[in-house]
Amino acid sequence: MSDAVTSDGDAGRGMHGVRVLTVNVGRPQVVDYTDTPGGVTGIGKRPAEGPVRVADPGPKGTGGSGLAGDAVCNLRHHGGSDMAVYAFAREELDFWERELGRPLGNGTFGENLTTSGVDVDGALIGERWRVGDALVLEVASGRVPCRTFAGWLGERGWLKRFTLRAAPGAYLRVVEPGEVRAGDPVEVVHRPDHDVTVSLAFRASTRERELLPRLLEAGDALDPEWRDNARTYVERRGGRGAG
């Protein structure tokens, strides 16, 4: 990871170690590139000052973000227990900075946690992270890019480019609530006995659907919508999936 600070001067860019660089929250804003009712989105996230409380927001459809003060404006497709927290690696933001030729501050991809030294996309579904003193999160799925994400970045062909990269960042559920702040260490405290990573699950759910049966190896740790998708694929082909 580069330690150079981008022109926007994001806090935490020069920190070292396996940790959270910044905790990012977004306020509702009206835009012309989303199909959310009212054209409102919370994708524009900025680093927060001080600790942020994180807890299970409740079921999808009614629950929003797991982070206090963070807006989720489309409850049909975002938020809820299995998408409570979104983590994205600073290393990936650095990759896209080089590809796009523009600075990308922490939070630019709509992530709640910008991490350093964490293998976010290589994390296993069901893997658990202790963040700071008390917060425990569990990896549930990857992020599937949407129209709002593309409109926010304003890059031509963005959905295809992001999908081909297959490094989408991880959605996490809250196992044990707690506070998180910039600089908190991230420790993997549990790794399940399978090889279904965030990247593999994303590839299976997007461009490589022949991989879908493998996702069932992750069992109930996988986001229910992704798991149901894999089961439907297996059933329609009369085959067997794991689990």
Side-chain angles (χ1 to χ4, degrees), residues 20-127:
V20 173
L21 290 180
T22 55
V23 182
N24 314 302
V25 297
R27 297 177 178 274
Q29 56 182 315
V30 178
V31 299
D32 60 3
Y33 51 75
T34 181
D35 51 9
T36 300
V40 182
T41 178
I43 195 172
K45 302 193 188 302
R46 298 293 300 167
E49 296 183 5
V52 176
R53 181 71 180 173
V54 182
D56 181 0
K60 189 173 183 179
T62 57
S65 174
L67 280 75
D70 181 46
V72 171
C73 302
N74 187 338
L75 298 181
R76 179 182 177 186
H77 297 296
H78 301 289
S81 298
D82 298 300
M83 303 171 73
V85 180
Y86 177 44
F88 199 80
R90 182 62 243 183
E91 293 84 350
E92 273 300 302
L93 285 172
D94 292 341
F95 167 83
W96 285 112
E97 278 194 344
R98 296 188 295 271
E99 287 291 304
L100 302 178
R102 57 184 268 203
L104 298 172
N106 296 346
T108 298
F109 278 20
E111 77 272 15
N112 299 119
L113 305 181
T114 308
T115 64
S116 172
V118 181
D119 188 4
V120 177
D121 299 293
L124 298 173
I125 301 298
E127 182 173 303

Side-chain angles (χ1 to χ4, degrees), residues 7-239:
S7 59
D8 66 0
D10 269 342
R13 184 72 181 273
M15 290 182 179
H16 296 275
V18 182
R19 64 185 62 243
V20 173
L21 290 180
T22 55
V23 182
N24 314 302
V25 297
R27 297 177 178 274
Q29 56 182 315
V30 178
V31 299
D32 60 3
Y33 51 75
T34 181
D35 51 9
T36 300
V40 182
T41 178
I43 195 172
K45 302 193 188 302
R46 298 293 300 167
E49 296 183 5
V52 176
R53 181 71 180 173
V54 182
D56 181 0
K60 189 173 183 179
T62 57
S65 174
L67 280 75
D70 181 46
V72 171
C73 302
N74 187 338
L75 298 181
R76 179 182 177 186
H77 297 296
H78 301 289
S81 298
D82 298 300
M83 303 171 73
V85 180
Y86 177 44
F88 199 80
R90 182 62 243 183
E91 293 84 350
E92 273 300 302
L93 285 172
D94 292 341
F95 167 83
W96 285 112
E97 278 194 344
R98 296 188 295 271
E99 287 291 304
L100 302 178
R102 57 184 268 203
L104 298 172
N106 296 346
T108 298
F109 278 20
E111 77 272 15
N112 299 119
L113 305 181
T114 308
T115 64
S116 172
V118 181
D119 188 4
V120 177
D121 299 293
L124 298 173
I125 301 298
E127 182 173 303
R128 292 187 176 185
W129 305 348
R130 183 177 298 280
V131 184
D133 295 330
L135 179 64
V136 177
L137 304 174
E138 182 178 87
V139 177
S141 69
R143 183 252 197 91
V144 175
C146 62
R147 175 186 170 190
T148 300
F149 187 25
W152 165 248
L153 279 189
E155 294 287 343
R156 186 176 181 85
W158 176 247
L159 297 185
K160 182 178 180 180
R161 294 179 72 179
F162 186 82
T163 299
L164 287 173
R165 175 67 176 168
Y171 276 120
L172 305 106
R173 55 179 67 94
V174 180
V175 178
E176 297 179 16
E179 291 185 337
V180 61
R181 70 189 73 203
D184 275 349
V186 178
E187 177 188 4
V188 177
V189 294
H190 170 70
R191 284 180 65 85
D193 187 21
H194 61 72
D195 63 357
V196 182
T197 64
V198 169
S199 181
L200 187 149
F202 176 82
R203 288 162 49 208
S205 299
T206 54
R207 296 178 60 86
E208 301 177 54
R209 296 182 64 79
E210 68 276 8
L211 296 176
L212 279 170
R214 291 182 58 185
L215 303 194
L216 298 179
E217 298 171 10
D220 291 342
L222 184 64
D223 181 295
E225 293 183 11
W226 291 46
R227 188 172 65 246
D228 290 347
N229 189 25
R231 284 176 175 162
T232 299
Y233 179 91
V234 171
E235 290 167 359
R236 285 178 176 173
R237 281 150 184 79

